[in-house]
Amino acid sequence: MPYISKNPATMEVLKEFPELIETELQQKLNLSASVFERWKMVSVAERTVLMKKLAEYLRQNKKELGTLATVEMGKPITAAMAEVEKCALTCDFYAENAERFLTSESVSTDATESYVAFEPLGTILAVMPWNFPYWQVFRFAAPTIMAGNVGLLKHASNVPQCALAIERAFVEAGFPNGVFQTLLINSSTVASVIKSSVVKAVTLTGSENAGRSVASIAGQQIKKTVLELGGSDPFIVLADADIQLAAKTAKIARLQNAGQSCIAAKRFILVESVAQEFIQAMTAEFKQTIVGDPMDEKTEVGPMANEQGLQEIVRQVEESVKLGAKIETGGHQIDRPGYFYEPTILSNVNSIMPVYQEEVFGPVAAVIIVKDDQEAIKAVNDTPFGLGASLWTKDLVKAKQLATLIESGSVFINGLVKSDPRLPFGGLKNSGYGRELSSFGIREFINIKTVWIKK
Ligand code: NAP
């Protein structure tokens, strides 16, 4: 199947790209293996210079790069450009900190000298989704390549122009040819790439199904994986929360990227004493949201990225409403060309409904009302996922205690869940394993080598 670039706001097919044929794929794998032998010998200081240039390239080209994301997957142009800037920031972060993260650590033992060295593994395959077509890739690539590895990208099939633009960015910044390559291949070809002796490890960001498949193939090959999978993050509002601020934040937490974010707040768990006030405030926020042409700088919510995602949201809402959910606002597809869905709030949600049980990857908030803090924590953990959580209360002592009870990779108190290059990012349970970003991310794909010396 070819890669098809289709504008989800207009449904116009923009471009098609053929899948790599077998010999082309093999050439790229060979190049990856040979360039690694040279790249691993390049000093971290020299890698730093190139990574800084890459950051500069991204900043200089954010309009063009941002536009590609907008036309391929529907993200509003302001958000797309902000995403490119965040990638640049992350390149700078690793350029400035990789030396420190990778310095050998001396350890006192019975040896004359013993230390731990951090060495690259080789070619790392990244299988990535379309929802943050640059950010997902750069948060893998910047640390991994600074550590001396080389990268291969199998990007989602609806964002081939972004995928090729990323490869071009590395070349334009001056990285040796082959340090980062895009493979236009179908997901069915991924298994053979994982099995190739060139590939040493795999990272996948995407759905549970894709994660299970990739991890089991890599497991057979005894190759390490990092999995960043789905989420159903709770947004917990306790009795003493700042309701107006929480409601304003809830709008962004749920509606950013048309709700298609793994760390979007998906389940709004409200203590009953403040539930109605919060629902009213959040409904007002959702009603004011500007939905429309993603190329318009005023637009806050664009279309969903594809027809399949839109139909899934339609199903989840319809089935939940049949089971008794109440529509506070929205609840329908928007009658215009493109895959637009109304910002939606469903209340009266209970545990038998799809919007409670499943990941809701669109602009639909599910409201769950609980009696008190204890019931809130029970509802928070009543999910197969464990990515992030946002907790709202003025009592910070209590907040820190509750944070220890939440089964997730992060807890944000009085703020929305976000990724930040300085902090580790990842999940528990069916949200995956391993960490990206910070000092933890750069150590996922390295050989932690013990060296023991006796005089
Ligand atoms: P997806 O269908 O799993 O696709 C993600 C990537 O995996 C794409 O490149 C896709 O290629 C590939 N893929 C799909 N099935 C595969 C298989 N069996 N073997 C090998 N590769 C396969 O996910 P999506 O629908 O694009 O993205 C949404 C999901 O990603 C949501 O669940 C979301 O929560 C999750 N996500 C998680 C994070 C995180 O950091 N935890 C971040 C963003 C998104 P094709 O496009 O060619 O199918």
Side-chain angles (χ1 to χ4, degrees):
M1 267 207 331
Y3 267 64
I4 297 176
S5 186
K6 182 176 175 183
N7 186 334
T10 61
M11 294 147 93
E12 179 196 356
V13 172
L14 306 169
K15 275 191 177 171
E16 288 191 23
F17 298 84
E19 193 190 359
L20 291 179
I21 58 171
E22 216 179 304
T23 50
E24 291 169 327
L25 176 57
Q26 197 51 54
Q27 276 165 9
K28 285 179 185 284
L29 287 165
N30 294 345
L31 174 62
S32 191
S34 65
V35 79
F36 171 65
E37 293 306 319
R38 284 179 282 130
W39 182 244
K40 71 179 180 188
M41 305 309 287
V42 171
S43 68
V44 177
E46 284 174 75
R47 290 179 208 149
T48 296
V49 173
L50 295 175
M51 197 50 77
K52 281 268 176 199
K53 284 196 180 142
L54 181 57
E56 207 177 293
Y57 174 90
L58 293 174
R59 288 195 181 97
Q60 276 169 2
N61 293 280
K62 70 175 179 189
K63 183 97 198 272
E64 294 73 15
L65 293 167
T67 302
L68 283 184
T70 298
V71 301
E72 286 200 311
M73 55 67 67
K75 178 186 300 274
I77 184 67
T78 45
M81 289 195 294
E83 181 178 329
V84 176
E85 281 191 359
K86 190 170 176 177
C87 296
L89 186 80
T90 300
C91 292
D92 281 340
F93 174 78
Y94 281 106
E96 285 153 19
N97 292 288
E99 185 95 60
R100 179 165 64 88
F101 295 152
L102 299 169
T103 300
S104 300
E105 288 177 8
S106 166
V107 183
S108 286
T109 65
D110 58 336
T112 313
E113 182 188 358
S114 51
Y115 59 90
V116 183
F118 303 107
E119 298 178 356
L121 293 182
T123 297
I124 314 298
L125 172 67
V127 182
M128 290 291 159
W130 46 263
N131 61 342
F132 292 89
Y134 297 114
W135 174 236
Q136 306 291 7
V137 176
F138 276 90
R139 74 184 190 189
F140 146 75
T144 307
I145 286 172
M146 279 306 296
N149 296 297
V150 297
L152 291 175
L153 169 67
K154 183 271 180 272
H155 216 326
S157 45
N158 56 338
V159 287
Q161 298 196 68
C162 293
L164 293 169
I166 298 170
E167 182 181 72
R168 210 159 42 242
F170 276 86
V171 173
E172 294 287 331
F175 282 85
N177 195 21
V179 165
F180 182 94
Q181 298 181 82
T182 286
L183 308 177
L184 293 183
I185 53 171
N186 286 323
S187 52
S188 55
T189 311
V190 169
S192 71
V193 177
I194 297 171
K195 287 176 189 165
S196 158
S197 59
V198 171
V199 170
K200 305 301 179 207
V202 191
T203 182
L204 177 134
T205 301
S207 60
E208 265 180 270
N209 277 347
R212 280 180 210 285
S213 164
V214 162
S216 57
I217 296 160
Q220 284 293 326
Q221 305 298 313
I222 322 206
K223 292 181 183 177
K224 183 176 179 180
T225 47
V226 165
L227 298 181
E228 297 286 356
L229 308 179
S232 188
D233 283 6
F235 187 101
I236 311 134
V237 183
L238 301 186
D240 65 345
D242 179 336
I243 300 299
Q244 296 308 317
L245 181 61
K248 267 194 194 321
T249 311
K251 165 181 159 171
I252 306 164
R254 177 62 284 203
L255 298 181
Q256 62 173 330
N257 217 31
Q260 302 161 119
S261 168
C262 53
I263 46 167
K266 289 166 188 154
R267 297 173 301 135
F268 291 77
I269 297 170
L270 316 177
V271 165
E272 65 187 359
S273 58
V274 288
Q276 290 317 316
E277 187 189 347
F278 180 83
I279 292 170
Q280 252 178 23
M282 185 173 160
T283 304
E285 293 290 341
F286 272 43
K287 283 187 166 157
Q288 282 165 20
T289 303
I290 304 167
V291 183
D293 175 6
M295 283 306 292
D296 183 337
E297 288 189 0
K298 289 193 289 301
T299 294
E300 295 173 290
V301 174
M304 296 187 57
N306 55 46
E307 163 109 50
Q308 193 194 350
L310 173 67
Q311 292 314 328
E312 185 66 354
I313 287 294
V314 168
R315 177 192 68 77
Q316 288 172 322
V317 170
E318 280 180 6
E319 282 181 19
S320 299
V321 168
K322 269 193 205 138
L323 291 165
K326 178 180 166 213
I327 298 173
E328 298 285 344
T329 184
H332 303 98
Q333 184 178 347
I334 299 176
D335 185 16
R336 58 177 284 172
Y339 310 123
F340 289 87
Y341 197 85
E342 292 173 332
T344 296
I345 299 175
L346 296 183
S347 60
N348 272 356
V349 167
N350 64 40
S351 62
I352 58 167
M353 297 176 184
V355 295
Y356 184 107
Q357 292 175 346
E358 302 167 10
E359 179 179 31
V360 179
F361 215 59
V364 178
V367 172
I368 297 151
I369 299 178
V370 293
K371 217 170 58 228
D372 53 23
D373 300 357
Q374 263 134 18
E375 254 196 29
I377 295 298
K378 235 169 115 184
V380 164
N381 292 334
D382 186 23
T383 167
F385 299 106
L387 200 49
S390 175
L391 173 63
W392 290 78
T393 170
K394 291 189 185 120
D395 182 344
L396 298 187
V397 173
K398 178 168 78 176
K400 286 188 198 170
Q401 281 163 358
L402 294 177
T404 65
L405 304 176
I406 294 175
E407 297 164 358
S408 66
S410 68
V411 178
F412 283 68
I413 296 160
N414 299 322
L416 57 74
V417 179
K418 59 185 180 201
S419 53
D420 178 324
R422 295 164 295 189
L423 291 168
F425 183 94
L428 288 186
K429 295 156 82 175
N430 291 6
S431 293
Y433 50 75
R435 291 293 178 267
E436 293 189 298
L437 301 174
S438 77
S439 60
F440 295 92
I442 201 171
R443 289 191 176 177
E444 288 287 0
F445 297 120
I446 51 183
N447 177 20
I448 300 173
K449 183 183 274 179
T450 294
V451 181
W452 188 99
I453 307 165
K454 198 80 175 172
K455 246 190 197 160

Short mmCIF file of all heavy atoms in Angstrom, two decimals, residues 152-200:
data_model
loop_
_atom_site.label_atom_id
_atom_site.label_comp_id
_atom_site.label_asym_id
_atom_site.label_seq_id
_atom_site.Cartn_x
_atom_site.Cartn_y
_atom_site.Cartn_z
N LEU A 152 16.18 4.69 12.77
CA LEU A 152 15.33 4.40 11.61
C LEU A 152 13.90 4.72 12.04
O LEU A 152 13.48 4.29 13.12
CB LEU A 152 15.40 2.93 11.22
CG LEU A 152 16.71 2.41 10.63
CD1 LEU A 152 16.62 0.89 10.43
CD2 LEU A 152 17.03 3.10 9.31
N LEU A 153 13.18 5.44 11.22
CA LEU A 153 11.81 5.81 11.56
C LEU A 153 10.80 5.13 10.64
O LEU A 153 10.87 5.29 9.43
CB LEU A 153 11.65 7.34 11.42
CG LEU A 153 10.21 7.87 11.47
CD1 LEU A 153 9.59 7.68 12.86
CD2 LEU A 153 10.19 9.37 11.11
N LYS A 154 9.86 4.38 11.26
CA LYS A 154 8.68 3.94 10.51
C LYS A 154 7.55 4.81 11.07
O LYS A 154 7.06 4.60 12.18
CB LYS A 154 8.38 2.45 10.77
CG LYS A 154 7.20 1.93 9.94
CD LYS A 154 5.90 2.13 10.68
CE LYS A 154 4.68 1.65 9.94
NZ LYS A 154 4.11 2.66 9.05
N HIS A 155 7.19 5.83 10.29
CA HIS A 155 6.17 6.77 10.79
C HIS A 155 4.78 6.27 10.38
O HIS A 155 4.65 5.37 9.54
CB HIS A 155 6.43 8.16 10.20
CG HIS A 155 6.11 9.27 11.16
ND1 HIS A 155 5.08 9.20 12.07
CD2 HIS A 155 6.69 10.49 11.38
CE1 HIS A 155 5.03 10.31 12.79
NE2 HIS A 155 6.01 11.11 12.40
N ALA A 156 3.75 6.85 10.97
CA ALA A 156 2.38 6.48 10.62
C ALA A 156 2.13 6.77 9.14
O ALA A 156 2.66 7.75 8.59
CB ALA A 156 1.40 7.27 11.48
N SER A 157 1.30 5.96 8.53
CA SER A 157 1.17 6.03 7.06
C SER A 157 0.43 7.26 6.57
O SER A 157 0.43 7.52 5.36
CB SER A 157 0.53 4.75 6.53
OG SER A 157 -0.57 4.43 7.33
N ASN A 158 -0.19 8.04 7.47
CA ASN A 158 -0.88 9.26 7.00
C ASN A 158 -0.01 10.52 7.10
O ASN A 158 -0.48 11.61 6.80
CB ASN A 158 -2.20 9.48 7.77
CG ASN A 158 -1.99 9.53 9.27
OD1 ASN A 158 -1.00 9.04 9.78
ND2 ASN A 158 -2.91 10.13 9.98
N VAL A 159 1.26 10.39 7.55
CA VAL A 159 2.09 11.60 7.66
C VAL A 159 3.44 11.44 6.93
O VAL A 159 4.49 11.78 7.48
CB VAL A 159 2.31 12.01 9.14
CG1 VAL A 159 1.05 12.60 9.73
CG2 VAL A 159 2.80 10.84 9.99
N PRO A 160 3.40 10.97 5.67
CA PRO A 160 4.68 10.74 4.99
C PRO A 160 5.47 12.02 4.74
O PRO A 160 6.71 11.99 4.75
CB PRO A 160 4.25 10.10 3.65
CG PRO A 160 2.83 10.52 3.46
CD PRO A 160 2.25 10.60 4.83
N GLN A 161 4.76 13.13 4.53
CA GLN A 161 5.51 14.37 4.25
C GLN A 161 6.26 14.83 5.51
O GLN A 161 7.40 15.29 5.42
CB GLN A 161 4.57 15.46 3.76
CG GLN A 161 3.88 15.11 2.45
CD GLN A 161 3.28 16.33 1.79
OE1 GLN A 161 4.00 17.20 1.34
NE2 GLN A 161 1.96 16.38 1.74
N CYS A 162 5.64 14.68 6.66
CA CYS A 162 6.33 15.02 7.92
C CYS A 162 7.53 14.08 8.10
O CYS A 162 8.62 14.51 8.49
CB CYS A 162 5.40 14.88 9.12
SG CYS A 162 4.06 16.07 9.15
N ALA A 163 7.31 12.79 7.81
CA ALA A 163 8.37 11.80 8.01
C ALA A 163 9.60 12.14 7.15
O ALA A 163 10.73 12.10 7.63
CB ALA A 163 7.84 10.41 7.65
N LEU A 164 9.34 12.50 5.90
CA LEU A 164 10.46 12.83 5.01
C LEU A 164 11.10 14.16 5.41
O LEU A 164 12.32 14.33 5.29
CB LEU A 164 9.98 12.86 3.56
CG LEU A 164 9.56 11.47 3.02
CD1 LEU A 164 8.84 11.59 1.69
CD2 LEU A 164 10.77 10.54 2.88
N ALA A 165 10.28 15.08 5.91
CA ALA A 165 10.82 16.38 6.34
C ALA A 165 11.78 16.21 7.53
O ALA A 165 12.76 16.94 7.65
CB ALA A 165 9.68 17.33 6.70
N ILE A 166 11.50 15.23 8.39
CA ILE A 166 12.38 15.00 9.55
C ILE A 166 13.74 14.48 9.07
O ILE A 166 14.80 14.94 9.49
CB ILE A 166 11.73 14.04 10.56
CG1 ILE A 166 10.43 14.65 11.11
CG2 ILE A 166 12.70 13.74 11.71
CD1 ILE A 166 9.58 13.69 11.92
N GLU A 167 13.69 13.52 8.15
CA GLU A 167 14.95 12.99 7.60
C GLU A 167 15.76 14.13 6.96
O GLU A 167 16.97 14.26 7.19
CB GLU A 167 14.64 11.91 6.56
CG GLU A 167 15.88 11.28 5.97
CD GLU A 167 15.53 10.22 4.92
OE1 GLU A 167 15.09 10.61 3.82
OE2 GLU A 167 15.69 9.04 5.20
N ARG A 168 15.05 14.99 6.20
CA ARG A 168 15.72 16.11 5.54
C ARG A 168 16.34 17.05 6.57
O ARG A 168 17.45 17.56 6.39
CB ARG A 168 14.67 16.87 4.71
CG ARG A 168 15.22 17.54 3.49
CD ARG A 168 14.17 17.85 2.44
NE ARG A 168 12.91 18.37 2.94
CZ ARG A 168 11.74 17.77 2.79
NH1 ARG A 168 11.65 16.62 2.17
NH2 ARG A 168 10.64 18.31 3.27
N ALA A 169 15.66 17.27 7.68
CA ALA A 169 16.16 18.19 8.71
C ALA A 169 17.52 17.72 9.23
O ALA A 169 18.44 18.54 9.42
CB ALA A 169 15.15 18.27 9.86
N PHE A 170 17.67 16.41 9.44
CA PHE A 170 18.96 15.89 9.92
C PHE A 170 20.06 16.13 8.89
O PHE A 170 21.17 16.52 9.24
CB PHE A 170 18.84 14.39 10.25
CG PHE A 170 18.31 14.14 11.63
CD1 PHE A 170 16.95 14.08 11.89
CD2 PHE A 170 19.19 13.98 12.71
CE1 PHE A 170 16.46 13.86 13.18
CE2 PHE A 170 18.71 13.76 14.00
CZ PHE A 170 17.35 13.71 14.23
N VAL A 171 19.72 15.89 7.63
CA VAL A 171 20.73 16.08 6.56
C VAL A 171 21.10 17.56 6.47
O VAL A 171 22.29 17.92 6.44
CB VAL A 171 20.19 15.55 5.21
CG1 VAL A 171 21.13 15.88 4.07
CG2 VAL A 171 19.97 14.04 5.31
N GLU A 172 20.10 18.43 6.48
CA GLU A 172 20.36 19.88 6.37
C GLU A 172 21.19 20.40 7.54
O GLU A 172 21.96 21.33 7.39
CB GLU A 172 19.03 20.66 6.31
CG GLU A 172 18.22 20.39 5.06
CD GLU A 172 18.80 21.03 3.81
OE1 GLU A 172 19.46 22.07 3.94
OE2 GLU A 172 18.62 20.46 2.71
N ALA A 173 21.00 19.79 8.70
CA ALA A 173 21.77 20.22 9.88
C ALA A 173 23.22 19.73 9.82
O ALA A 173 24.04 20.13 10.63
CB ALA A 173 21.09 19.73 11.15
N GLY A 174 23.52 18.84 8.89
CA GLY A 174 24.90 18.40 8.71
C GLY A 174 25.22 17.03 9.30
O GLY A 174 26.39 16.61 9.31
N PHE A 175 24.22 16.30 9.78
CA PHE A 175 24.49 14.94 10.29
C PHE A 175 24.94 14.05 9.13
O PHE A 175 24.45 14.20 8.00
CB PHE A 175 23.22 14.33 10.91
CG PHE A 175 22.91 14.84 12.28
CD1 PHE A 175 22.19 16.02 12.45
CD2 PHE A 175 23.37 14.17 13.41
CE1 PHE A 175 21.93 16.52 13.72
CE2 PHE A 175 23.10 14.66 14.68
CZ PHE A 175 22.39 15.84 14.84
N PRO A 176 25.85 13.13 9.36
CA PRO A 176 26.27 12.22 8.29
C PRO A 176 25.06 11.48 7.71
O PRO A 176 24.13 11.12 8.45
CB PRO A 176 27.20 11.24 9.00
CG PRO A 176 27.67 11.96 10.22
CD PRO A 176 26.55 12.88 10.62
N ASN A 177 25.10 11.29 6.41
CA ASN A 177 24.02 10.60 5.72
C ASN A 177 23.76 9.23 6.37
O ASN A 177 24.69 8.46 6.54
CB ASN A 177 24.43 10.43 4.25
CG ASN A 177 23.27 10.07 3.38
OD1 ASN A 177 22.12 10.30 3.77
ND2 ASN A 177 23.55 9.49 2.23
N GLY A 178 22.54 8.96 6.76
CA GLY A 178 22.21 7.65 7.33
C GLY A 178 22.08 7.64 8.84
O GLY A 178 21.57 6.67 9.41
N VAL A 179 22.50 8.71 9.52
CA VAL A 179 22.35 8.72 10.99
C VAL A 179 20.88 8.66 11.37
O VAL A 179 20.49 8.00 12.34
CB VAL A 179 23.06 9.95 11.61
CG1 VAL A 179 22.62 10.18 13.04
CG2 VAL A 179 24.57 9.77 11.55
N PHE A 180 20.06 9.34 10.57
CA PHE A 180 18.61 9.24 10.79
C PHE A 180 17.94 9.02 9.45
O PHE A 180 18.06 9.84 8.54
CB PHE A 180 18.06 10.53 11.42
CG PHE A 180 16.60 10.44 11.70
CD1 PHE A 180 16.14 10.04 12.95
CD2 PHE A 180 15.66 10.69 10.71
CE1 PHE A 180 14.78 9.91 13.20
CE2 PHE A 180 14.30 10.56 10.95
CZ PHE A 180 13.87 10.18 12.20
N GLN A 181 17.23 7.90 9.29
CA GLN A 181 16.56 7.63 8.02
C GLN A 181 15.08 7.30 8.24
O GLN A 181 14.72 6.64 9.21
CB GLN A 181 17.18 6.41 7.33
CG GLN A 181 18.65 6.57 6.97
CD GLN A 181 19.16 5.31 6.27
OE1 GLN A 181 18.97 5.14 5.08
NE2 GLN A 181 19.79 4.43 7.02
N THR A 182 14.29 7.78 7.29
CA THR A 182 12.87 7.43 7.28
C THR A 182 12.65 6.24 6.36
O THR A 182 13.19 6.22 5.25
CB THR A 182 12.06 8.66 6.78
OG1 THR A 182 12.03 9.62 7.84
CG2 THR A 182 10.65 8.30 6.40
N LEU A 183 11.88 5.28 6.83
CA LEU A 183 11.53 4.12 6.00
C LEU A 183 10.05 4.21 5.67
O LEU A 183 9.21 4.13 6.57
CB LEU A 183 11.75 2.81 6.77
CG LEU A 183 13.11 2.59 7.44
CD1 LEU A 183 13.09 1.26 8.22
CD2 LEU A 183 14.23 2.57 6.40
N LEU A 184 9.72 4.40 4.41
CA LEU A 184 8.30 4.39 4.04
C LEU A 184 7.90 2.92 3.82
O LEU A 184 8.02 2.39 2.72
CB LEU A 184 8.04 5.24 2.80
CG LEU A 184 8.26 6.75 2.95
CD1 LEU A 184 7.89 7.49 1.67
CD2 LEU A 184 7.47 7.33 4.12
N ILE A 185 7.48 2.30 4.92
CA ILE A 185 7.10 0.88 4.86
C ILE A 185 5.76 0.69 5.55
O ILE A 185 5.38 1.47 6.42
CB ILE A 185 8.15 -0.04 5.54
CG1 ILE A 185 8.43 0.43 6.98
CG2 ILE A 185 9.42 -0.13 4.74
CD1 ILE A 185 9.27 -0.54 7.80
N ASN A 186 5.06 -0.35 5.18
CA ASN A 186 3.80 -0.67 5.85
C ASN A 186 4.07 -1.32 7.20
O ASN A 186 5.15 -1.89 7.43
CB ASN A 186 2.98 -1.65 5.00
CG ASN A 186 2.36 -0.95 3.82
OD1 ASN A 186 1.94 0.19 3.93
ND2 ASN A 186 2.33 -1.62 2.68
N SER A 187 3.04 -1.29 8.04
CA SER A 187 3.22 -1.90 9.36
C SER A 187 3.51 -3.40 9.24
O SER A 187 4.19 -3.98 10.09
CB SER A 187 2.03 -1.62 10.27
OG SER A 187 0.85 -1.97 9.65
N SER A 188 3.04 -4.02 8.14
CA SER A 188 3.29 -5.47 7.99
C SER A 188 4.78 -5.76 7.69
O SER A 188 5.22 -6.91 7.82
CB SER A 188 2.42 -6.04 6.87
OG SER A 188 2.63 -5.30 5.70
N THR A 189 5.53 -4.76 7.29
CA THR A 189 6.96 -4.96 7.01
C THR A 189 7.81 -4.76 8.27
O THR A 189 9.00 -5.08 8.29
CB THR A 189 7.43 -3.99 5.89
OG1 THR A 189 6.50 -4.08 4.82
CG2 THR A 189 8.80 -4.28 5.36
N VAL A 190 7.19 -4.20 9.33
CA VAL A 190 7.96 -3.87 10.54
C VAL A 190 8.62 -5.12 11.13
O VAL A 190 9.78 -5.07 11.57
CB VAL A 190 7.04 -3.15 11.57
CG1 VAL A 190 7.72 -3.04 12.93
CG2 VAL A 190 6.67 -1.77 11.06
N ALA A 191 7.90 -6.24 11.10
CA ALA A 191 8.45 -7.46 11.71
C ALA A 191 9.80 -7.82 11.09
O ALA A 191 10.76 -8.15 11.80
CB ALA A 191 7.48 -8.62 11.53
N SER A 192 9.90 -7.73 9.75
CA SER A 192 11.16 -8.14 9.11
C SER A 192 12.28 -7.16 9.46
O SER A 192 13.44 -7.55 9.56
CB SER A 192 10.98 -8.27 7.60
OG SER A 192 10.82 -6.99 7.03
N VAL A 193 11.92 -5.89 9.67
CA VAL A 193 12.96 -4.91 10.05
C VAL A 193 13.44 -5.21 11.48
O VAL A 193 14.64 -5.17 11.76
CB VAL A 193 12.41 -3.46 9.93
CG1 VAL A 193 13.46 -2.45 10.40
CG2 VAL A 193 12.00 -3.17 8.49
N ILE A 194 12.49 -5.53 12.37
CA ILE A 194 12.89 -5.86 13.74
C ILE A 194 13.82 -7.08 13.74
O ILE A 194 14.80 -7.15 14.48
CB ILE A 194 11.66 -6.15 14.63
CG1 ILE A 194 10.79 -4.89 14.76
CG2 ILE A 194 12.08 -6.64 16.03
CD1 ILE A 194 9.45 -5.13 15.44
N LYS A 195 13.50 -8.04 12.85
CA LYS A 195 14.31 -9.27 12.82
C LYS A 195 15.68 -9.06 12.19
O LYS A 195 16.59 -9.88 12.40
CB LYS A 195 13.55 -10.36 12.05
CG LYS A 195 12.37 -10.91 12.85
CD LYS A 195 11.58 -11.92 12.03
CE LYS A 195 10.29 -12.29 12.74
NZ LYS A 195 9.35 -12.97 11.85
N SER A 196 15.85 -7.98 11.44
CA SER A 196 17.15 -7.74 10.80
C SER A 196 18.24 -7.63 11.88
O SER A 196 18.05 -6.99 12.92
CB SER A 196 17.09 -6.43 10.00
OG SER A 196 18.39 -5.92 9.81
N SER A 197 19.41 -8.20 11.59
CA SER A 197 20.49 -8.15 12.58
C SER A 197 21.00 -6.73 12.76
O SER A 197 21.67 -6.42 13.74
CB SER A 197 21.63 -9.07 12.15
OG SER A 197 22.09 -8.64 10.89
N VAL A 198 20.67 -5.84 11.84
CA VAL A 198 21.11 -4.43 11.96
C VAL A 198 20.41 -3.75 13.13
O VAL A 198 21.00 -2.96 13.85
CB VAL A 198 20.80 -3.67 10.64
CG1 VAL A 198 21.03 -2.17 10.79
CG2 VAL A 198 21.64 -4.23 9.49
N VAL A 199 19.13 -4.08 13.34
CA VAL A 199 18.33 -3.38 14.35
C VAL A 199 18.60 -3.98 15.73
O VAL A 199 18.49 -5.20 15.92
CB VAL A 199 16.83 -3.44 13.99
CG1 VAL A 199 15.95 -2.95 15.12
CG2 VAL A 199 16.59 -2.62 12.73
N LYS A 200 18.95 -3.11 16.69
CA LYS A 200 19.32 -3.61 18.02
C LYS A 200 18.20 -3.45 19.05
O LYS A 200 18.21 -4.12 20.09
CB LYS A 200 20.56 -2.88 18.53
CG LYS A 200 21.75 -2.95 17.58
CD LYS A 200 22.19 -4.39 17.29
CE LYS A 200 23.36 -4.42 16.33
NZ LYS A 200 23.43 -5.65 15.55
#
